[in-house]
Amino acid sequence: MTPNAIAILRRHGPGLLLVLPALAAIGFLYAYPLLRSVIFAFLDTQGGVTLAHVSRALAFYGRDILFSIGVALASLALIAVVSITIAGYLTLGATPWAVALLRWLYRWPLFIPFIVAAQTARSFLSRNGLMNSVLMELGLLSPAAAQSLLDWRGLILTFAWKQVPFVTLLLAGAMASLDRATIEAARNLGAGRLRCLLGIVLPQVRPNLLVGLILSLVVIMSVLSVPMMIVAGNPTMMTAMMAHRVTYYGDYAVANALGLFSYLLTAFAAWLYLRTTLAREVRR
Amino acid sequence: MAALELENVSIRIGQARILNDVSLQVPAGSFTCLLGPSGCGKTTLLRSVAGFAPLSAGDIRIGDRSIAGLPPERRETAMVFQSYALWPHMNVGENLAYPLKLRGVSRGERERRVAAMLERLDLAHCAKRPIGALSGGQRQRIALGRALIIDPPILLLDEPLSNLDAAIRRTLRTELRDLQRRLGITTLMVTHDQEEALSLADRIVLMRDGRIIQVADPETLYTAPADLDTARFLGVDNLVPEGGATLAFRSTQAHAGPRALHAGLRRQGRVIDSTYAGGAWRIRLAVAELELTAMGEASLAAGTPAWISVPDHALMRFDAHRDAA
């Protein structure tokens, strides 16, 4: 080794050594499988390039893809509305005991695994489930009108139930770190609490909300247990169809092609996020 | 007539009494300063008027309307914060327009009033700028404009100048005073800076330990503080016991030199040291068991005998029982 090379190694060696494990983990456990699955979505058995898997995936599962997108967007909308409401109340609420209680309560679903959440949702939302029983006991629902919510509605409710605490946590943290005086100035100059939430607080924490929603989208697009347990037939979420394709047919190619649509969806969301936050940075 | 009136206001947080039975009348059009050491309750008093510190007892009225039970947004007081509290997601013009928007003012009227306010603040070129591009002084001017744009009956200022450097603070102080005089708006300002209070206010409310100690015009407060602690807070740094009373005076109003002057109080002592204080020397003297400070035209060597002379008008007398209280 030349003295020069040794000097470079001395200077950068420790840093390189520290970064290496993380880099290797990302490379082998994430980047490589991702790249492999994308490539295999376009390869036929002879190793030639083909669009057959993608078109098969579209032909067989086009409805499921649209269903997944619809459920994901509706879940995100519900998550956003509920999280903003809870975090807003935690920040602007005027009743100390109610704020304390809510702060203590809202995190619980974070610690419950998806499979348990799905199981709970099943027994809560089914035709003879807890929700309908309670509604019937209260005389708010006639037994004849009782229906099962174990379809897209069940999916949306379960996803929201699981992800609301997470997004609320991010949002409430961001709201708590705002300069309190900006909120007080708005109230002082005539904004009620709702106006203040929508006009002053929310615009300042919008990047945090977007991060929470995008991470939730990734979760929704990857959780298998919830669609498996809640939705019986078709259409269902892409994750369930991918698992089906792999476990029953050993057909990794079409599963990979389906996965491609998941990546595209999350990548699109990430791009939207980057675009809006970058625009904000430039404006400042 | 009082534009703002506080009646037996008490604020308790847990066991701590922040404000203790405070009553105050703020005359219409006056510039009133709440002055006191930190922790005396002056900021809490201001925040209670704005509705951010709930009262444990008492009432607050603007004119003859009680506002104690109203939420902040319905009190029609306009507050300027120490941290400016401009909304970072809006540009300068939007910050000024938002209070008008909240009041349902039409777009055209909003634009007209924002432009007029920017003109008045001498910041007409800044309308489209983001808040981050403004200097501290510009930010505080915009914050002031945002408060004034709604023509509030009461302007509340919470240490508005204390985050600015000395030169800008002096300029803004003058601007603030001029603006307040021109608009004739009743103003209540919190400050811990006595120089600021003395030069801005036409009435000063001196507070300590959650109580009002003295309400007076600046000159009266400066020359006749209510008690010894107040005097000390206002820069009275020499105390001479005499009989049952205490004579007090400021170093800046006392003279030190080799000869005594014709004065109300004369004492001889020995020089401890002399330090230059710009234009004059600050001389410390040991007088019997006391240590006194006065100003002299020339430096005096340590250990030399010297006289300290205080003119009558600079002497304040505090009775012992009042000091104890």
Side-chain angles (χ1 to χ4, degrees):
Chain A
M1 251 196 280
T2 65
N4 205 3
I6 289 171
I8 287 174
L9 205 64
R10 276 246 175 86
R11 183 135 42 99
H12 299 292
L16 216 60
L17 222 64
L18 281 171
V19 174
L20 211 59
L23 215 58
I26 288 176
F28 287 117
L29 301 177
Y30 181 72
Y32 172 68
L34 177 71
L35 210 65
R36 208 178 115 96
S37 74
V38 170
I39 291 169
F40 274 70
F42 293 102
L43 290 183
D44 60 24
T45 42
Q46 275 76 49
V49 176
T50 173
L51 285 176
H53 308 311
V54 177
S55 60
R56 283 247 298 287
L58 273 177
F60 291 175
Y61 304 115
R63 242 159 52 94
D64 298 296
I65 293 172
L66 289 179
F67 179 82
S68 301
I69 294 173
V71 166
L73 291 182
S75 303
L76 292 182
L78 185 60
I79 291 167
V81 169
V82 179
S83 305
I84 291 166
T85 309
I86 296 176
Y89 190 74
L90 291 179
T91 311
L92 300 167
T95 319
W97 66 264
V99 171
L101 184 69
L102 189 61
R103 192 182 301 283
W104 184 74
L105 271 178
Y106 85 87
R107 300 174 214 233
W108 281 102
L110 273 179
F111 303 102
I112 293 171
F114 268 100
I115 184 100
V116 179
Q119 166 67 27
T120 315
R122 261 200 92 82
S123 55
F124 187 73
L125 299 173
S126 74
R127 183 203 266 276
N128 300 317
L130 188 60
M131 187 179 75
N132 284 347
S133 309
V134 170
L135 288 179
M136 279 188 263
E137 282 297 319
L138 293 174
L140 295 172
L141 185 74
S142 74
Q147 52 171 319
S148 164
L149 291 186
L150 294 176
D151 48 22
W152 58 274
R153 292 168 297 186
L155 282 177
I156 292 170
L157 289 173
T158 313
F159 283 136
W161 188 81
K162 258 303 281 172
Q163 286 306 109
V164 159
F166 171 71
V167 178
T168 306
L169 197 68
L170 284 182
L171 218 50
M175 287 181 186
S177 65
L178 290 181
D179 178 6
R180 192 82 202 164
T182 60
I183 298 171
E184 288 181 344
R187 304 265 338 249
N188 174 251
L189 291 169
R193 278 191 282 162
L194 187 64
R195 266 318 263 280
C196 195
L197 175 65
L198 298 178
I200 301 297
V201 175
L202 200 53
Q204 291 189 71
V205 299
R206 214 172 60 133
N208 305 74
L209 176 64
L210 282 174
V211 168
L213 290 181
I214 286 167
L215 295 179
S216 296
L217 174 66
V218 174
V219 167
I220 290 168
M221 295 311 291
S222 47
V223 167
L224 180 60
S225 51
V226 173
M228 291 278 253
M229 293 191 71
I230 288 185
V231 184
N234 280 329
T236 184
M237 300 293 284
M238 277 148 71
T239 40
M241 287 298 119
M242 281 155 73
H244 183 77
R245 207 69 209 167
V246 170
T247 42
Y248 290 97
Y249 300 100
D251 182 359
Y252 283 90
V254 169
N256 284 338
L258 267 175
L260 201 63
F261 291 104
S262 289
Y263 302 147
L264 284 178
L265 196 62
T266 46
F268 177 67
W271 172 77
L272 267 184
Y273 163 70
L274 284 177
R275 212 187 58 149
T276 51
T277 49
L278 281 181
R280 261 171 80 96
E281 290 302 312
V282 169
R283 210 151 53 88
R284 278 193 181 178
Chain B
M1 184 210 144
L4 173 69
E5 194 174 352
L6 283 80
E7 195 181 281
N8 306 111
V9 168
S10 289
I11 292 182
R12 243 166 278 170
I13 298 176
Q15 288 298 308
R17 286 162 169 253
I18 312 295
L19 286 182
N20 223 334
D21 201 24
V22 168
S23 294
L24 176 68
Q25 299 203 331
V26 179
S30 76
F31 196 129
T32 302
C33 267
L34 301 172
L35 178 67
S38 55
C40 72
K42 57 191 190 300
T43 299
T44 306
L45 182 60
L46 191 81
R47 290 173 60 81
S48 75
V49 176
F52 297 123
L55 306 189
S56 312
D59 194 16
I60 300 176
R61 283 187 297 273
I62 289 182
D64 45 14
R65 185 172 72 112
S66 170
I67 57 165
L70 296 178
E73 64 267 24
R74 290 185 44 210
R75 295 200 176 195
E76 296 288 319
T77 61
M79 186 155 166
V80 176
F81 293 79
Q82 185 175 1
S83 67
Y84 321 130
L86 296 172
W87 301 303
H89 57 291
M90 301 182 192
N91 67 25
V92 169
E94 288 164 344
N95 261 278
L96 290 175
Y98 191 67
L100 298 175
K101 207 166 156 187
L102 290 171
R103 281 163 181 72
V105 175
S106 71
R107 173 185 277 271
E109 175 68 7
R110 281 202 309 259
E111 278 168 6
R112 198 186 62 73
R113 281 166 71 174
V114 167
M117 182 55 79
L118 283 168
E119 197 69 48
R120 167 179 282 167
L121 298 168
D122 212 8
L123 290 169
H125 55 291
C126 290
K128 298 275 180 244
R129 287 210 193 151
I131 297 305
L134 300 183
S135 70
Q138 288 173 328
R139 282 182 208 202
Q140 197 53 291
R141 270 198 226 137
I142 296 296
L144 186 63
R146 184 179 67 178
L148 290 173
I149 206 162
I150 59 170
D151 292 324
I154 309 276
L155 180 64
L156 304 173
L157 307 170
D158 183 12
E159 308 225 12
L161 306 177
S162 60
N163 278 357
L164 302 166
D165 59 50
I168 296 172
R169 199 183 314 163
R170 267 195 297 277
T171 323
L172 263 182
R173 201 188 279 171
T174 319
E175 270 180 39
L176 189 60
R177 184 68 184 138
D178 289 349
L179 200 63
Q180 192 270 340
R181 284 228 176 96
R182 210 163 56 234
L183 299 175
I185 185 172
T186 310
T187 304
L188 189 59
M189 175 166 118
V190 163
T191 181
H192 64 268
D193 179 345
Q194 49 157 309
E195 193 194 325
E196 198 167 285
L198 292 170
S199 64
L200 274 174
D202 38 48
R203 278 169 92 249
I204 295 177
V205 177
L206 196 117
M207 295 184 65
R208 193 166 65 230
D209 299 331
R211 294 173 189 280
I212 291 177
I213 304 295
Q214 188 173 7
V215 180
D217 63 273
E219 196 178 348
T220 308
L221 187 77
Y222 194 76
T223 54
D227 59 22
L228 205 49
D229 281 336
T230 306
R232 279 206 198 97
F233 178 71
L234 292 167
V236 173
D237 48 357
N238 290 290
L239 307 176
V240 179
E242 195 185 70
T246 303
L247 288 176
F249 60 91
R250 294 183 174 84
S251 310
T252 47
Q253 291 178 304
H255 176 266
R259 273 179 300 280
L261 302 183
H262 182 75
L265 180 82
R266 279 183 291 184
R267 294 286 152 92
Q268 194 181 25
R270 273 180 194 286
V271 174
I272 300 172
D273 60 14
S274 308
T275 46
Y276 189 59
W281 290 79
R282 177 180 291 272
I283 293 160
R284 281 203 298 153
L285 294 162
V287 178
E289 71 277 21
L290 295 173
E291 186 187 309
L292 301 175
T293 314
M295 309 306 284
E297 305 83 48
S299 161
L300 298 173
T304 55
W307 284 88
I308 181 163
S309 324
V310 189
D312 263 329
H313 67 85
L315 280 174
M316 299 164 217
R317 174 183 292 274
F318 298 99
D319 295 335
H321 69 272
R322 284 185 65 191
D323 181 26

